[in-house]
Amino acid sequence: MGGYDHAAGFLRHAAAGLRAQGRLGLLAQSLVSLSFTSAHIVDWESGLPSVAEALRLAEENAQPRWVTGALTAKAHFAAVHGDLETAQTAIVQAERHVLAVANSSNLAFIQITRGMIGLAAGRHAETFACVWRVFDPADPAYHPYLQTIAIPTLAEAAVSDEEQAMARHALSRLDASAATTTARLIRANLGFAHALLADDEDAEAPFRSALDLDLSRDPFTRARLLLAYGAWLRRRRRVMESRAPLRIARESFASLGARPWHERACQELRSAGEAGTQSMSADWDLLTPQELQIAQLAATGLSNREIGQQLYLSHRTIGAHLYRVYPKLGITSRGQLREKLQLGGW
């Protein structure tokens, strides 16, 4: 349904229970779902450790479907962060694994993620071609349910008149099929697409309507919408009005670690006559996904042995990871982890 904001809590509880029971096959599956959820709402602190653990467990348990899912989520995160080399490597690996257990949802998620990689690189035509496969009934990647997840990327990539016409037709079909849904993120995705696909002279009402939706649990979509709205205002020579949404978009992308979109917001602001950029540093960005997961658990007060029992790793491996974590974060003791990682705000 695209209800990622609701799914995250259930999946975290499921993963904790399955981990405690030692049911590693289902744990890998749950972590892949949590990875996708976290990727789409750009929750790095939850998502990166989930991806790393899901990939490790799925490989150890010979679960090619969940290996594919974990690699696809990894590629999505890397694309949003602007690490296109990692994103490309991961999505190619995912495509190789999907040959072993081909199913339409994995194929669709791969194309949606390829679209995100294309957007991050500024390759709009490539993005449209990849994502359109999810909407084409003749394509193996066709998936009517995942179209509500794919439509924002399709709309953002539609540049030519032909692409915009195709995207509008797809959007009208989704409007009809989702007319009665109360799923918050589906409404947000459709609103986003309506704003980006509106005729330029008539776009203000769709933009304002989309911005009136509750996007609090999908900050990435909200920031992309504000960037598009600010760019539209600037193109309409409403330069002073454009700066406020562009500033908010820039700050949001900075806090989310979405480097390619952050750079575009900075460029739009420069075009609107405002100079300056914003730092994007974050403590989680200094750690590998597994180091982040171990640091999070250590910050709750768990011992190395207790962390190892949860993650099915030796306590010596946990200690070695923490030995590398401390200098990266500029701390010297376990007691400083909680404050450094701002655990209470997660």
Side-chain angles (χ1 to χ4, degrees), residues 108-129:
F109 272 124
I110 285 173
Q111 295 311 312
I112 294 168
T113 303
R114 278 204 168 277
M116 188 59 64
I117 295 170
L119 279 185
R123 301 192 296 263
H124 289 77
E126 174 187 312
T127 293
F128 191 91

Side-chain angles (χ1 to χ4, degrees), residues 20-57:
Q21 296 169 17
R23 300 170 71 182
L24 302 188
L26 282 174
L27 175 58
Q29 178 179 344
S30 296
L31 288 170
V32 167
S33 295
L34 181 56
S35 299
F36 275 115
T37 293
S38 302
H40 282 84
I41 59 177
V42 195
D43 176 2
W44 301 95
E45 288 87 352
S46 178
L48 292 182
S50 297
V51 168
E53 189 178 12
L55 186 56
R56 176 172 64 87
L57 291 174

